Amino acid sequence: EVLLEESGGGLVQAGGSLRLSCVASGFNFDDYAIGWFRQAPGKEREGVSCISSYDGRPVYYYVDTVKGRASISSDNAKNTVWLQIDDVKPDDTAVYYCAADGPFTTAHSMCVTTGLDYWGQGIQVTVSS
């Protein structure tokens, strides 16, 4: 059974930081791209940041609205991916989803589509102004 378990959401003050964790199980983590998506009320789900591997090195994708503020990282030994967003804004308020796609999906191709293999349940992040 595939599981993607998100944690770390909640209420964050504008200007602060949020850090989300996604622990994966049930598939070959090393071969899959992992990403974070979000959906705000009344808006479509969008890819925030994704990470994949090419030639043994990580490849990253960030949506323009978080570039310079976000950092995605992974630990293959722990089957875990983290997303940190600094200087959060009210527009970062959304339900955040962890997703996985593969094998051998690239970070960019993953983050620009929503037809992916596996999804987590989602976790609420609310940024207060």
Side-chain angles (χ1 to χ4, degrees), residues 18 21 60 67 75 87 102 109 112 116 127:
L18 69 89
S21 300
Y60 309 103
K67 272 182 186 174
D75 185 333
D87 189 24
S109 65
V112 297
L116 304 173
V127 179

Side-chain angles (χ1 to χ4, degrees), residues 36-38 45-48 95-97 99 110-111 113 116 119:
W36 288 95
F37 293 71
R38 67 186 179 187
R45 191 173 295 188
E46 68 168 354
V48 178
V95 177
Y96 284 72
Y97 298 88
M110 180 182 187
C111 255
T113 183
L116 304 173
W119 290 91

Side-chain angles (χ1 to χ4, degrees), residues 5 7 19-24 29 32-36 49-51 71-76 78-83 98-99:
E5 297 185 272
S7 61
R19 184 173 171 84
L20 304 176
S21 300
C22 173
V23 180
F29 186 86
Y32 275 64
I34 309 293
W36 288 95
S49 182
C50 296
I51 184 170
S71 176
I72 190 169
S73 58
S74 69
D75 185 333
N76 287 9
K78 296 180 179 179
N79 282 13
T80 302
V81 173
W82 297 271
L83 175 69
C98 178

Side-chain angles (χ1 to χ4, degrees), residues 3 11-13 20 56 60 66 75 77 84-85 87 92 102 116 122:
L3 274 178
L11 183 63
V12 187
Q13 276 203 318
L20 304 176
Y60 309 103
V66 303
D75 185 333
Q84 177 156 333
I85 302 178
D87 189 24
D92 293 319
L116 304 173

